[in-house]
Amino acid sequence: GEDVEQSLFLSVREGDSSVINCTYTDSSSTYLYWYKQEPGAGLQLLTYIFSNMDMKQDQRLTVLLNKKDKHLSLRIADTQTGDSAIYFCAENPGGYNKLIFGAGTRLAVHP
Amino acid sequence: DTAVSQTPKYLVTQMGNDKSIKCEQNLGHDTMYWYKQDSKKFLKIMFSYNNKELIINETVPNRFSPKSPDKAHLNLHINSLELGDSAVYFCASSQDYGTSGAYQETQYFGPGTRLLVL
């Protein structure tokens, strides 16, 4: 089946690392994505990872993929107030590029 | 310079009306999509078109009718609007669909159209 789950809220102190977790169900997903949505705005692609990779790093962002457990995480180093947003995990279970989104994790960064 | 644009940004209307939302992309992509985001921020795909042909048609009331006059445009027409249609509607585009790689499949989203049905 198609289902992506995320915890709904995360609160961190400015300067700390944030880790947002996601589980997905479809092992045929070739790519897994992280999108960011700021208040009142559209979805901004943050990063993606190919399913045969374990890790991908892009500046302050680190994506870890455990394909056996179907677990994906996004780590944001040195979290800033501008990182406050909703973060969506999405899988792409093959076929017609139909993205299946999680419910989003609302990240709040406080001083 | 906007890659994926939508109009209008906000739409407030009465139940029973018919309305359209327009989407345009200047990325040269072949595939376009419509997603609905409800009040709990849950995002779900509605339709996708590849080069003006319907590819994905999820379980959506037939009051919703997408139209793609050319591959750079995908409009969404909604007949007989209901209260439950209130949501944010996002358009997206990708180079291609489900074929050969992240570059082709990665979807880029528009800013959204906030629809409120009264």
Side-chain angles (χ1 to χ4, degrees), chain A residues 3-47:
Chain A
D3 199 10
V4 178
E5 294 192 0
Q6 303 177 237
S7 52
L8 293 183
F9 298 101
L10 177 65
S11 179
V12 299
R13 193 185 301 274
E14 193 174 9
D16 287 351
S17 292
S18 309
V19 179
I20 302 171
N21 294 303
C22 169
T23 57
Y24 61 99
T25 53
D26 199 316
S27 57
S28 70
S29 291
T30 309
Y31 295 96
L32 295 140
Y33 299 86
W34 284 103
Y35 283 86
K36 175 183 179 183
Q37 185 179 30
E38 296 182 15
L43 276 80
Q44 172 195 351
L45 175 67
L46 277 181
T47 188

Side-chain angles (χ1 to χ4, degrees), chain A residues 30-31 33 35 37 39-45 48 86 88 92 95-104 106, chain B residues 9 33 35 37 40-43 45 48 55-56 58 90 94 96-98 101-102 105-111 114:
Chain A
T30 309
Y31 295 96
Y33 299 86
Y35 283 86
Q37 185 179 30
L43 276 80
Q44 172 195 351
L45 175 67
Y48 62 86
I86 302 176
F88 291 93
N92 184 354
Y96 298 103
N97 209 21
K98 181 174 78 171
L99 287 180
I100 308 298
F101 284 89
R106 192 179 296 269
Chain B
K9 190 171 181 180
Y33 311 79
Y35 287 83
Q37 185 177 44
K40 295 184 179 177
K41 303 296 185 183
F42 186 65
L43 268 158
I45 192 165
S48 80
I55 301 297
I56 295 174
E58 289 291 286
F90 286 102
S94 64
D96 203 332
Y97 71 97
E105 296 174 13
T106 299
Q107 295 182 30
Y108 296 90
F109 283 75
R114 284 144 188 83

Side-chain angles (χ1 to χ4, degrees), chain B residues 10-29:
Chain B
Y10 300 96
L11 186 52
V12 181
T13 188
Q14 299 284 337
M15 233 174 19
N17 284 349
D18 302 338
K19 290 293 178 186
S20 291
I21 306 172
K22 295 186 176 181
C23 178
E24 176 181 2
Q25 53 93 6
N26 62 5
L27 296 167
H29 288 170

